[in-house]
Amino acid sequence: MSEPRENFSSRIGFILAAAGSAVGIGNLVGFPVNAAKNGGGAFLIMYAIFVFLICLPVMIAEMAVGRKTAKEPVGAYKTLSGNSSLWGAAGLLGVLTPFMIAVFYMVITVWILGYLVLTITGNLEYLASDGFGEFINSPYLFLAMAVVAAVVNFILVAGVKDGIEKAAKILMPSLFVMLIIMVIFVLSLDNAFAGVKFFIIPDISKITPSVVNGALSQAFFSLSLGMGILITYGSYINRQTNIPSSAKLVAITDTGVAFVAGLMILPAVFSFNPNIVPSELSDSSVSLIFTFLPKIFLALQSSIGYFGASAIAALFFLLVFFAAITSLVSIIEVPVSYLVTEKKHTRKKALSILLMTAGILTIFATVSFGMVAFFTEFTTYAGGTKSFFDVVYDIFYDTILPLNGFLLCVFVSYRWKKNKLSEELALGNDGYIGSWVEKYINFSLGTFIPAIVLIIFINTVAQKFFAVSLFGF
Ligand code: TRP
């Protein structure tokens, strides 16, 4: 006898958990900087259009597949395809992907915790003076890793309602409050409005094909699509929940946090250096967070002292840490749910299996920044030496996600069938059948959305692994 499937206790709990998954490091740092570099307001409008017209239907479809089957990706694909082994393989990819993403995201979360502890203990100056190179090779990282694993375990072992939902209900509102405090503080700095200007004033001339591609991929990743997460979280909601409107709230929260984060990051950058040209800022969230931002925080000491500057930095890293934990929890829940539903393990056992296996891979990824040569110079492709961390990131985060999204659209439209999707979405949503939302979702999921996502996938493979650029971007 299998135990009855657990559920989220409330719609708001589900929405906060899904938004907690979606809101991550990318929203807080990557998005604002990208927007400022690539056309400001013009980028923002384009991003919003992508979120609502292209990503939202995929999000809704994932949640519907999850709720219909009450299963994680493997079980869900199998159930709805009458046990097809081909679709079962797509499901397996949908569980392997989050497992591997968990590995690299764990590394970053561990670094964030390390930065939080170091700022609290008075080491902001060290971090600002290019301490990062030394930091990523510190043996203390393994201690931080044990702490992060324990936190994740603590949340997930408690289950859906008492673990994931409760954590989201505490961490997300705290995150909103911290974000608002940071924005108010940062906007009071000198030159703050120069940053806001770069963020908001549109510059259409910056919108090139590669910016369009980047914005779409970012929207897709940011919303947790293609990771199996929304299928799994969808399997924990009841039939009275209105899926399209819940998904819309998740998308609005995710995009809203990314937007508000822009009002925190860009004014801070410009008050640090009013003459900075946004296009000179790094593309990578990692180098922004870990090398650039500590310098900005340290510069605050001229107005609020070293203690004040450290306090602001600590608040920022705590905010990022909360965002990272809720994402990490959501991504590990997918393989947990797989082991519980398909392999009939208890949650506790599933978690120990996962924390052991993912833990070992996380150690490999952690030592691939110089500690161990084998993992640091793991392989070469596209003309560069790649570490183990790079490989995991390139394959699973950058490449496989759009493929998973493509498979999902094709699966829902042509295997499960659109009328079944509509039936599922009509539960908890009277008036859905026949509405223009239904027509749009059914049409787009069967036509241009999979086409666009497939193009992104092919282009990424060409660029990442063969260093050639197709389609002119
Ligand atoms: N929005 C996240 C970020 O910006 C990306 C993301 C979404 C994610 N879901 C996730 C990362 C789950 C890790 C796990 O970082």
Side-chain angles (χ1 to χ4, degrees):
M1 267 301 287
S2 59
E3 296 187 11
R5 198 165 185 83
E6 257 199 282
N7 271 334
F8 286 111
S9 70
S10 61
R11 185 167 105 106
I12 184 73
F14 164 63
I15 291 170
L16 283 178
S21 167
V23 170
I25 297 166
N27 299 62
L28 296 173
V29 184
F31 174 87
V33 169
N34 249 326
K37 285 170 75 155
N38 295 317
F43 184 97
L44 298 179
I45 292 170
M46 177 174 70
Y47 184 88
I49 292 176
F50 287 163
V51 164
F52 288 97
L53 294 188
I54 297 181
C55 296
L56 198 51
V58 181
M59 182 189 275
I60 290 171
E62 288 200 18
M63 290 176 178
V65 164
R67 184 174 70 180
K68 173 72 195 173
T69 57
K71 297 227 160 80
E72 38 45 70
V74 173
Y77 273 91
K78 276 201 193 142
T79 309
L80 295 181
S81 68
N83 261 326
S84 136
S85 50
L86 213 62
W87 285 114
L92 266 181
L93 194 61
V95 171
L96 180 68
T97 309
F99 175 78
M100 294 305 288
I101 291 179
V103 167
F104 102 80
Y105 214 73
M106 178 93 178
V107 176
I108 310 251
T109 310
V110 166
W111 291 347
I112 300 279
L113 177 62
Y115 266 52
L116 174 61
V117 172
L118 284 173
T119 27
I120 292 176
T121 51
N123 292 298
L124 179 61
E125 190 154 15
Y126 164 75
L127 296 177
S129 55
D130 292 325
F132 186 56
E134 200 175 282
F135 169 83
I136 50 176
N137 288 314
S138 154
Y140 288 113
L141 287 180
F142 299 104
L143 190 65
M145 194 186 295
V147 174
V148 172
V151 172
V152 168
N153 188 62
F154 175 77
I155 296 175
L156 284 182
V157 107
V160 176
K161 201 174 356 142
D162 298 325
I164 299 174
E165 180 172 348
K166 203 162 164 195
K169 279 184 167 164
I170 298 171
L171 297 180
M172 291 307 285
S174 328
L175 184 150
F176 299 145
V177 171
M178 285 192 273
L179 185 61
I180 298 298
I181 295 177
M182 286 292 284
V183 169
I184 293 173
F185 171 73
V186 165
L187 285 179
S188 72
L189 299 172
D190 292 343
N191 290 311
F193 283 88
V196 176
K197 230 173 66 191
F198 263 104
F199 185 47
I200 290 182
I201 294 185
D203 178 356
I204 300 270
S205 70
K206 295 261 178 61
I207 305 289
T208 61
S210 95
V211 169
V212 175
N213 180 30
L216 184 53
S217 317
Q218 184 165 1
F220 194 85
F221 298 158
S222 183
L223 292 172
S224 288
L225 304 181
M227 304 188 188
I229 294 173
L230 298 169
I231 297 181
T232 308
Y233 277 14
S235 75
Y236 304 132
I237 52 180
N238 61 34
R239 308 247 175 260
Q240 287 81 47
T241 307
N242 182 334
I243 291 185
S245 83
S246 309
K248 197 169 69 191
L249 284 174
V250 173
I252 290 176
T253 309
D254 185 60
T255 311
V257 168
F259 178 77
V260 175
L263 301 176
M264 159 177 77
I265 297 291
L266 294 160
V269 169
F270 277 81
S271 114
F272 170 66
N273 176 0
N275 300 318
I276 208 158
V277 185
S279 61
E280 283 168 6
L281 292 171
S282 166
D283 266 332
S284 109
S285 300
V286 167
S287 79
L288 284 165
I289 277 206
F290 295 106
T291 63
F292 189 62
L293 289 183
K295 293 191 195 353
I296 294 187
F297 291 128
L298 185 65
L300 294 175
Q301 67 177 337
S302 61
S303 51
I304 51 177
Y306 189 66
F307 183 81
S310 302
I312 290 290
L315 185 66
F316 174 79
F317 287 116
L318 185 65
L319 161 75
V320 180
F321 184 64
F322 280 9
I325 286 289
T326 46
S327 297
L328 195 56
V329 159
S330 74
I331 200 124
I332 296 180
E333 175 62 15
V334 181
V336 167
S337 177
Y338 167 72
L339 290 178
V340 170
T341 322
E342 302 294 305
K343 303 284 172 201
K344 311 290 176 218
H345 290 302
T346 59
R347 281 189 87 79
K348 207 168 160 190
K349 174 95 184 290
L351 269 162
S352 31
I353 296 176
L354 283 167
L355 289 176
M356 292 278 265
T357 46
I360 292 173
L361 293 175
T362 305
I363 292 177
F364 293 166
T366 301
V367 298
S368 74
F369 292 86
M371 271 191 244
V372 176
F374 176 75
F375 292 111
T376 307
E377 291 149 28
F378 193 63
T379 180
T380 53
Y381 50 82
T385 305
K386 305 285 176 170
S387 67
F388 181 72
F389 180 91
D390 294 333
V391 174
V392 173
Y393 181 89
D394 284 351
I395 297 185
F396 289 96
Y397 203 59
D398 250 5
T399 312
I400 301 284
L401 286 190
L403 179 63
N404 286 342
F406 169 76
L407 291 172
L408 181 97
C409 295
V410 173
F411 179 76
V412 166
S413 299
Y414 301 107
R415 179 76 208 213
W416 187 32
K417 298 281 168 19
K418 293 170 186 167
N419 57 339
K420 298 276 180 31
L421 174 70
S422 294
E423 260 171 40
E424 183 62 32
L425 292 177
L427 298 172
N429 188 2
D430 301 332
Y432 175 72
I433 305 260
S435 67
W436 67 267
V437 178
E438 181 207 9
K439 294 194 179 75
Y440 180 77
I441 290 180
N442 286 352
F443 174 73
S444 62
L445 277 180
T447 52
F448 63 89
I449 296 181
I452 293 172
V453 182
L454 186 65
I455 292 175
I456 295 189
F457 169 68
I458 296 173
N459 193 55
T460 311
V461 172
Q463 257 175 8
K464 279 268 166 192
F465 301 101
F466 303 97
V468 291
S469 164
L470 305 171
F471 313 114
F473 58 85

